Amino acid sequence: MSEKKSLCEMTNNEFLAELSILEDNLIEFLKYCQICNNRGFIHFKPYAWQKRKITQFAQTLHTNKPNHLIVAPRQVGKTALIAAYVLWYALFKPDKRIVLFSYKLAAAAEILRRIREMHAMLPKCLQRDTKVCNKNMIQFDNNTRIGISNYNANCVRGMSIDLAILDEAAFAKDSTFSDFIKSVFPTQCGRKDAQMIIVSTPSKVKSEFYMLYSHLLSNDSSFNVEHLKWNCISSRDAKWKRQMQHYYDTATFRSEFLAEFV
């Protein structure tokens, strides 16, 4: 059996057929994505949980349960997952507004940098021209924009957001997050197929984020809620657990690596 042609070797009809596949199949799109680690740029080979969640993001987009809340440990690939999904969404869905929220503006800017980087490493024929490309915004030639913000209620008033990404929401100040949540939900009400994805490492039990998590977990809503455990990556075994316990105090280890609310 002959190897699959590279995108550059495809005829125009073959390339259009491949684009149609990538638009419908995120796992196929990931095969063209690269991420940067301590060895440099490598092809993105998602973990099983990443494959499952990114497929769910796309499959639920046009349903009455399009939103997702994920509580997860540190260093399991949350940012890579979000970067890949946002990039796919931005490339294939014109005239959309995407906003990356985080507890610090610098943290949101870092996610946007990862998206810019991932876009730049795609094959040239998959890249889109940009109208705006800086540390605060990317606007592609299909008029889809990706912007950033912290959890500031005043920043979202008057916005209409198609895809809202809430990063590390558990670490926002309680009063700030409470006001923000009340402000951000209405920004999506008037948008067809709007989606919100909340991904965070857990923090304390008595917090606004924990209250939101508990409410969505125990009530029927538009959210799919999942709590990933420390061993969602297959290489994390009992030996890994003992090593981490050696380096971190008990509360930090339980919160950031066992994904427990403490």
Side-chain angles (χ1 to χ4, degrees):
M1 184 181 294
S2 60
E3 292 185 5
K4 184 177 179 180
K5 293 180 181 179
S6 70
L7 290 177
C8 296
E9 296 171 330
M10 291 180 181
T11 65
N12 188 56
N13 286 341
E14 289 172 335
F15 177 68
L16 292 176
E18 181 71 4
L19 275 186
S20 180
I21 292 171
L22 301 185
E23 186 173 0
D24 294 331
N25 190 326
L26 258 161
I27 302 303
E28 288 298 313
F29 175 74
L30 293 184
K31 293 178 181 178
Y32 293 104
C33 294
Q34 296 189 48
I35 58 175
C36 188
N37 66 9
N38 55 6
R39 292 175 291 166
F41 283 98
I42 59 171
H43 286 288
F44 186 12
K45 296 179 180 179
Y47 300 119
W49 83 265
Q50 291 174 313
K51 285 184 178 181
R52 177 169 49 79
K53 291 311 297 184
I54 204 167
T55 301
Q56 287 177 359
F57 292 166
Q59 288 177 342
T60 58
L61 189 55
H62 306 295
T63 69
N64 61 359
K65 205 175 176 74
N67 305 315
H68 296 263
L69 187 151
I70 304 170
V71 176
R74 286 191 63 195
Q75 303 299 316
V76 294
K78 299 188 294 294
T79 304
L81 171 76
I82 291 301
Y85 181 66
V86 169
L87 180 58
W88 170 83
Y89 186 103
L91 294 178
F92 290 103
K93 299 189 179 300
D95 303 311
K96 298 294 185 181
R97 184 166 192 174
I98 306 164
V99 182
L100 311 171
F101 296 98
S102 195
Y103 67 110
K104 293 189 296 186
L105 196 61
E110 173 60 17
I111 301 173
L112 186 64
R113 184 192 69 78
R114 296 275 291 272
I115 294 169
R116 273 200 317 271
E117 200 171 67
M118 191 175 285
H119 178 253
M121 297 304 295
L122 287 174
K124 290 291 185 184
C125 48
L126 285 184
Q127 295 178 25
R128 282 193 173 276
D129 290 335
T130 55
K131 294 181 176 180
V132 179
C133 188
N134 56 47
K135 66 179 182 179
N136 296 318
M137 179 184 288
I138 303 172
Q139 182 173 0
F140 291 111
D141 58 4
N142 64 353
N143 288 324
T144 289
R145 292 179 288 169
I146 310 170
I148 64 173
S149 177
N150 55 13
Y151 292 123
N152 186 331
N154 292 327
C155 290
V156 297
R157 296 187 190 279
M159 278 189 183
S160 293
I161 302 173
D162 297 287
L163 176 59
I165 303 294
L166 278 60
D167 169 65
E168 296 294 17
F171 296 91
K173 292 181 179 179
D174 282 349
S175 58
T176 300
F177 188 68
S178 177
D179 291 341
F180 170 79
I181 285 295
K182 293 173 185 175
S183 299
V184 74
F185 277 107
T187 67
Q188 296 192 290
C189 291
R191 307 294 278 190
K192 183 181 179 182
D193 300 326
Q195 186 176 49
M196 181 181 294
I197 298 174
I198 307 173
V199 184
S200 184
T201 307
S203 184
K204 57 189 178 181
V205 171
K206 295 183 178 180
S207 67
E208 287 293 329
F209 175 77
Y210 179 76
M211 290 174 63
L212 175 66
Y213 163 75
S214 299
H215 174 76
L216 295 178
L217 190 64
S218 58
N219 292 274
D220 186 30
S221 71
S222 64
F223 275 83
N224 301 275
V225 181
E226 182 161 357
H227 195 149
L228 298 172
K229 298 302 182 180
W230 63 275
N231 56 355
C232 63
I233 297 177
S234 58
S235 61
R236 292 187 171 182
D237 54 15
K239 180 181 178 181
W240 174 91
K241 187 177 178 181
R242 287 193 299 270
Q243 288 175 335
M244 293 301 105
Q245 286 175 313
H246 175 73
Y247 291 121
Y248 296 93
D249 64 81
T250 301
T252 301
F253 175 73
R254 287 178 58 198
S255 174
E256 301 206 354
F257 291 99
L258 297 189
E260 296 178 7
F261 287 94
V262 297

